[in-house]
Amino acid sequence: MRFLDRFEEGFIVILMAAATILIFVAVAQRYSLDMTANLVRASRGWDIQWISDASRWLYGALRSLNLVWAQEACIYLFVWMAKFGAAYGVRIGIHVGVDVLTERLDGAAKTIVTTIAMSGGILFTFIVAWIGFDFVWHVYKNGPISPDLEIKMWIIYLAVPLGSALMCFRFIQALWMFLRTGEIAHHSFDTVEGIEEEAEIAAEGKS
């Protein structure tokens, strides 16, 4: 599963980076356009021709950069990021869960309760994936497109069944690991990955 793990992590990172860069460029373009427009108006009274010409040229260049689609694109990127991020959360045990009862149980009772809880997650995500694929199929046949990006909407909605199917697989994987080893994936927020390794390397370098 190493390839799938790396693909999952890389896909989320790419979506996050793309959304961040797109938001930054769109906001920078908007504020730069306002500032340039103010400069154009102010340069009329300065009687400095080169500043007036440069500000007009810059205003035209910024205005030609059409980013009306940026908000829609960011929404779609975050949708895909959320669905695959949910599956990633199951894999590393980062999801919030009510485990007051299971933590107090031991032996067969804990195994039964945990198995039922994980099976509920498997069943729920399977149903969402099934309904999602059926919905995407109907959208694909009807052929609607997005208003700004003008891409097929079934491609956007595909995030729901694919993300849910991957999440279902992660629940099955977690249940299988629990039944084999008795361990449940759990992410600790008390430590930061990589810090201990860097501290050890620094200590070895000083010695």
Side-chain angles (χ1 to χ4, degrees), residues 58-120:
L58 182 59
Y59 178 81
L62 290 172
R63 191 171 183 178
S64 64
L65 185 61
N66 187 4
L67 294 176
V68 295
W69 51 268
Q71 182 177 358
E72 182 180 292
C74 287
I75 292 174
Y76 296 155
L77 288 171
F78 278 112
V79 168
W80 278 80
M81 191 192 314
K83 293 303 298 181
F84 281 81
Y88 175 76
V90 174
R91 176 164 70 90
I92 67 174
I94 202 173
H95 282 293
V96 176
V98 181
D99 56 359
V100 177
L101 176 60
T102 55
E103 290 296 328
R104 295 177 179 272
L105 297 175
D106 294 313
K110 183 174 183 179
T111 302
I112 293 173
V113 172
T114 305
T115 301
I116 293 174
M118 288 189 176
S119 299

